[in-house]
């Protein structure tokens, strides 16, 4: 589960994916388990939910390069694109509205496009979090 965003720019609408990952880590009681993994240039926490082992990932890159971290982590943890869940902001959804999308185009989202390019696939499941337009 990868939270897309601009690392270090906390509290901004475009980093909502990373904020969702922080809350998920709290819910799964692994919030103190975040560690920097230089191999994929990301903060990583491991968790178990409903018997599934999860890799929570927050890339330490700008949004348009998030895919590089996610592709590296996929290689390290032996994950295919179909195993990856992206959590990201969506300008076209009203603030707070959410939608799940399986595959498809990036719809102009630079972080999603980076993931599609780095993984050579668009098969990732996406949780789109509405942030509305300014």
């Amino acid at each position: 589960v990868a939270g897309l965003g601009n690392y270090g720019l906390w509290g901004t609408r475009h980093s909502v994916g990373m904020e969702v990952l922080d809350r998920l880590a709290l819910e799964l009681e692994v919030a103190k388990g975040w560690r920097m993994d230089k191999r994929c240039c990301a903060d990583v926490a491991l968790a178990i939910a409903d018997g599934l082992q999860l890799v929570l990932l927050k890339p330490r890159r700008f949004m348009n390069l998030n895919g590089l971290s996610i592709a590296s982590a996929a290689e390290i943890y032996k994950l295919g694109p179909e195993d990856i869940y992206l959590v990201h902001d969506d300008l076209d959804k009203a603030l707070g509205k959410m939608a799940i999308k399986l595959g498809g185009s990036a719809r102009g989202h630079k972080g999603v496009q980076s993931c599609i390019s780095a993984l050579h696939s668009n098969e990732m499941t996406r949780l789109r979090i509405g942030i509305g337009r300014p």
Side-chain angles (χ1 to χ4, degrees), residues 7-81:
Y7 192 84
L9 297 177
W10 314 120
T12 65
R13 297 176 318 139
H14 295 296
S15 293
V16 71
M18 292 183 175
E19 290 185 37
V20 169
L21 265 279
D22 283 336
R23 295 219 181 173
L24 180 59
L26 279 171
E27 287 290 320
L28 296 174
E29 300 178 353
V30 296
K32 293 183 180 181
W34 287 110
R35 63 178 171 70
M36 188 345 188
D37 189 332
K38 291 181 181 180
R39 300 173 299 170
C40 57
C41 190
D43 290 343
V44 175
L46 302 178
I48 296 186
D50 294 329
L52 295 174
Q53 189 170 22
L54 301 177
V55 177
L56 307 181
L57 184 118
K58 296 186 298 185
R60 285 185 164 234
R61 303 174 189 266
F62 286 113
M63 179 74 82
N64 62 340
L65 297 174
N66 279 190
L68 299 175
S69 292
I70 294 165
S72 294
E75 187 174 324
I76 292 164
Y77 294 99
K78 297 178 180 25
L79 301 170

